[in-house]
Amino acid sequence: MAPLTATQPAPPHAELKSRIAAAVEAARDEIIDLSHRIHANPEPAFEEYRASAWVAEALRLHGYDVIHPAGRLTTAIRAIRHGGRGGPGPRIGILAEYDALPGLGHGCGHNTMAASGVGAALALAAIVDELPGEIVFLGTPAEERGSGKQIMLDDGLFEGLDAALLYHPCDRSHVEARALASEDVEVVFTGLQAHAASDPWKGRNALDALILLFSSVGLWRQQLRPSARVHGIIREGGTAANIIPDHTAAWFMIRSEDEGEYAVMRERFRELCEAAALATSTSVEVTFSGLARTMRNNPVLAERFRANMAAYGIEDMGDDPSAGSTDMANVSWFCPTIHPDLAIAPVGTPGHSILFRDAAAMPRADETTLLASILIAQTALDLFLDPELVAAAWAALRNS
Ligand SMILES: [Zn+2]
């Protein structure tokens, strides 16, 4: 049972919630087809051309004024529907992600996020005559790398938003997300080529530099706090065993649950890169990008989403012991934000894996996608119909 609070829906409100659920049910095939189509055509960050085109087309079909591309990002979408009730009202953001992981596909299940965002948008469109304010759908590219939402924030596409709502798939259902501050780091070492047998002493080995860097990162880990993360892959390690490599590259990520600690880690990592270059007489370029911040879960929105979940018999399983990062956290410093997780796979299924990828197009994920559409739209409805709730969400953000 949903707890009784001052914001408990009045009967017409409950009726609108039912109409939202009915609209999602009526669009079941459309929503699931979109999820499966995106799942079968995975596109990495900044290259979500087909996914964003399909999402934009679906929104147009449901009466939205669609801007695509929106801002600098070719695959970003901003779509609007004005409430038909007139008068002042909030501007509620329904968000959707659709990028996949290179070499893995939809191992984070963002296909279900794209489809549920569209599902929520079409459900709200079905009751738009009863709503004040404005529904703002934001298709947000590049979550897995690059923090596309920060670019969209900088482009002013979140301007005036009173709330940002986004569901994420998981192996458990819980409303409040922990997110680590995180950045991508490209590291490039430049040395000097030489024949690896006849005159290796003439070379400067850029692969040695890279191996040193991985070794020092491994040693560094012992001194890091348990929540800190640093992990990377080698992008280029040389071209042939008989050439001293003059060019190597790695892609790292650094993360921490504390933004202050993160800033210290960032500088330490740069020093490790410089030390590896110094030790091998190579030079190094270190490029940080795509900062994702720590998450400020809005307790007022979380309480509403939790109550809407409870009405469907889903309990909040509480804090997730594992935490990744998300650019939704950047949004959470700008306006009231939630990023609830709903289960699409058995507890213990690792994220960013083949198992999770395959789960993201299974019947359980399809049902969760429909439910997420309903719960996001119902939480938006709570905000549209209750100015005090919007004010309370803003107060919670300002006072936290
Ligand atoms: Zn994700």
Side-chain angles (χ1 to χ4, degrees):
M1 269 299 287
L4 276 171
T5 69
T7 56
Q8 190 69 9
H13 189 156
E15 187 203 308
L16 290 175
K17 285 199 174 176
S18 304
R19 283 171 60 188
I20 283 173
V24 169
E25 188 53 45
R28 161 180 282 270
D29 291 348
E30 183 187 346
I31 296 166
I32 292 174
D33 170 69
L34 179 62
S35 176
H36 288 188
R37 230 184 315 151
I38 294 174
H39 189 269
N41 294 277
E43 299 164 301
F46 300 111
E47 296 171 30
E48 311 93 332
Y49 303 112
R50 282 170 296 187
S52 62
W54 292 330
V55 167
E57 179 191 299
L59 293 164
R60 276 190 204 103
L61 214 65
H62 289 277
Y64 280 79
D65 290 329
V66 180
I67 303 170
H68 175 235
R72 266 172 292 174
L73 298 179
T74 318
T75 54
I77 301 169
R78 191 171 196 272
I80 304 275
R81 266 207 85 164
H82 295 281
R85 211 173 77 184
R91 194 179 271 179
I92 306 300
I94 307 295
L95 273 61
E97 293 173 4
Y98 27 69
D99 59 331
L101 291 154
L104 177 59
H106 276 290
C108 205
H110 292 185
N111 57 301
T112 69
M113 302 172 78
S116 66
V118 168
L122 69 83
L124 290 168
I127 56 163
V128 73
D129 289 342
E130 319 294 337
L131 303 178
E134 201 171 87
I135 313 162
V136 180
F137 178 99
L138 292 167
T140 62
E143 188 277 338
E144 295 293 357
R145 175 181 73 80
S147 286
K149 290 184 195 66
Q150 184 60 54
I151 299 169
M152 292 178 70
L153 279 161
D154 295 341
D155 282 347
L157 299 172
F158 283 77
E159 222 45 60
L161 237 57
D162 288 300
L165 312 176
L166 176 64
Y167 132 88
H168 196 288
C170 192
D171 68 333
R172 56 178 63 222
S173 297
H174 63 107
V175 177
E176 300 203 16
R178 230 158 39 89
L180 310 176
S182 167
E183 232 168 338
D184 294 297
V185 201
E186 298 288 340
V187 183
V188 176
F189 288 103
T190 306
L192 192 64
Q193 282 183 338
H195 194 295
S198 59
D199 46 13
W201 49 87
K202 291 181 183 165
R204 294 200 299 272
N205 195 323
L207 181 59
D208 285 355
L210 201 52
I211 291 167
L212 263 182
L213 176 59
F214 271 88
S215 302
S216 32
V217 163
L219 294 170
W220 184 34
R221 283 200 184 94
Q222 196 204 347
Q223 272 73 52
L224 292 174
R225 289 177 194 278
S227 69
R229 294 285 183 275
V230 49
H231 42 95
I233 59 159
I234 295 178
R235 279 196 193 280
E236 290 173 60
T239 55
N242 57 2
I243 307 170
I244 300 288
D246 69 331
H247 187 271
T248 56
W251 171 18
F252 276 89
M253 295 182 83
I254 303 174
R255 315 194 200 215
S256 169
E257 67 178 359
D258 178 281
E259 294 198 358
E261 183 191 64
Y262 175 76
V264 175
M265 283 179 69
R266 193 181 194 273
E267 286 321 297
R268 184 76 180 137
F269 182 81
R270 187 190 291 280
E271 287 167 0
L272 296 182
C273 295
E274 284 163 3
L278 186 66
T280 53
S281 295
T282 57
S283 60
V284 66
E285 250 180 82
V286 186
T287 311
F288 292 85
S289 67
L291 175 69
R293 301 191 62 184
T294 52
M295 184 81 185
R296 300 175 78 185
N297 295 286
N298 190 280
V300 176
L301 301 188
E303 193 277 329
R304 286 316 314 156
F305 192 86
R306 201 174 283 122
N308 287 322
M309 253 168 76
Y312 283 84
I314 298 169
E315 237 183 280
D316 185 348
M317 292 169 75
D319 197 20
D320 189 345
S322 62
S325 306
T326 172
D327 57 359
M328 191 62 175
N330 300 33
V331 179
S332 76
W333 292 73
F334 180 80
C335 69
T337 293
I338 47 166
H339 188 262
D341 279 357
L342 294 173
I344 65 160
V347 172
T349 308
H352 290 196
S353 69
I354 290 172
L355 275 176
F356 199 84
R357 178 196 69 195
D358 292 349
M362 301 289 273
R364 180 174 178 184
D366 295 342
E367 293 308 313
T368 301
T369 302
L370 298 173
L371 181 64
S373 308
I374 294 170
L375 298 180
I376 291 288
Q378 291 183 340
T379 305
L381 177 71
D382 291 340
L383 293 160
F384 276 119
L385 297 189
D386 188 351
E388 282 174 31
L389 192 64
V390 176
W394 272 113
L397 177 61
R398 291 195 180 108
N399 299 332
S400 63

